[in-house]
Amino acid sequence: MTLVWWQIVLLAIVQGIAEFLPISSSGHLVVIAPLLFGSTDSPEGISDLSIVLHLGTLGSILVHYFKRVSALLGEDRQILALLAIGTLPAVVVGLPLKLLFPAALESPLLAGVLLIVNGGVLYLVSRIPPKENTYQQLSIGKSLAIGVCQAFAILPGLSRSGSTIAGGLSVGLSRSSAATFSFLLAIPAIAGAGVLEALSMIRKSEPLSTSPGLLLLGAAISFVVGIVSLRLLEKLLASGRLPWFAIYSVIAGIAIVVWQWQGAIE
């Protein structure tokens, strides 16, 4: 069971959309996999594809936030320390979860339950009156709090972008600053995830199971779709549309739980 071009295109589109919109890319992928391939087993080549799709969405962040990323090397150098602090919880909490409970992180039922939780969190945060603090004004403690939100988003169904934006809004950031800090924080998170997957492949001495051309196609699609998703999220967030994502998450989560429950009793 190997990946074919249309499956790569579909997964790249899903990655590009769900990586940035607060609806959980991991939650959608663990559900789409069994539906798409008719099996609970990962198809051959999925590790290769996962790495390049992450690189594609990482490229989206670097291009969309180019000026802000460049500022990290100049007037915003102090933000690098805050990003490092915000990344620590993902290393301390998220990495052990990934290593110790890999099966749980691929559970469609867990993804369904946590999508409902994700929707509830987004709705509650949308009720917080918007503030005007910028991410440059974050303290160490508030950066760490946002990082904790990111760490638990390794669980399928909890959106990384949704969790970190929610964390940013909760500590008093403006909507635009919450989104910006969320995606600056995503740079080491996504890059680190890609490195871990690559190292895992190297240790197993696994050759590429998908042609380089198809992998590049997947990366390009996730890159383009990712940029569109980032622009869309910024507009919807500025206009207070988080409840839209909350409603979608709850409906999708309930549908997944019902699907899993029906499968269990058959």
Side-chain angles (χ1 to χ4, degrees), residues 3 11 15 19 29 45-59 98 189-203 206-210 215-216 218-220 222-223:
L3 292 166
L11 290 174
Q15 173 71 17
E19 180 67 43
L29 290 176
I46 197 67
S47 296
D48 308 341
L49 185 63
S50 177
I51 293 172
V52 297
L53 293 188
H54 276 91
L55 290 176
T57 49
L58 177 59
K98 186 176 182 66
I190 296 175
V195 169
L196 284 176
E197 290 170 354
L199 289 176
S200 176
M201 288 178 57
I202 292 172
R203 284 198 303 269
E206 294 179 353
L208 287 177
S209 301
T210 307
L215 291 176
L216 287 174
S222 65
F223 169 76

Side-chain angles (χ1 to χ4, degrees), residues 126-220:
S126 72
R127 310 296 293 176
I128 299 175
K131 305 291 178 57
E132 296 304 322
N133 295 324
T134 67
Y135 64 91
Q136 288 90 343
Q137 297 171 298
L138 279 172
S139 65
I140 291 176
K142 290 179 179 179
S143 300
L144 189 61
I146 298 173
V148 170
C149 294
Q150 175 172 258
F152 285 102
I154 193 172
L155 297 171
L158 291 180
S159 165
R160 195 214 64 82
S161 62
S163 297
T164 50
I165 290 173
L169 294 174
S170 298
V171 300
L173 292 183
S174 67
R175 290 168 177 165
S176 62
S177 271
T180 299
F181 191 74
S182 168
F183 293 117
L184 290 178
L185 196 59
I187 294 174
I190 296 175
V195 169
L196 284 176
E197 290 170 354
L199 289 176
S200 176
M201 288 178 57
I202 292 172
R203 284 198 303 269
K204 296 177 182 178
S205 300
E206 294 179 353
L208 287 177
S209 301
T210 307
S211 72
L214 288 178
L215 291 176
L216 287 174
L217 172 66

Side-chain angles (χ1 to χ4, degrees), residues 20 52-66 187 190 219 222-224 226-227 230:
F20 300 125
V52 297
L53 293 188
H54 276 91
L55 290 176
T57 49
L58 177 59
S60 302
I61 297 174
L62 296 176
V63 169
H64 185 75
Y65 288 107
F66 177 76
I187 294 174
I190 296 175
S222 65
F223 169 76
V224 172
I227 288 180
L230 281 168

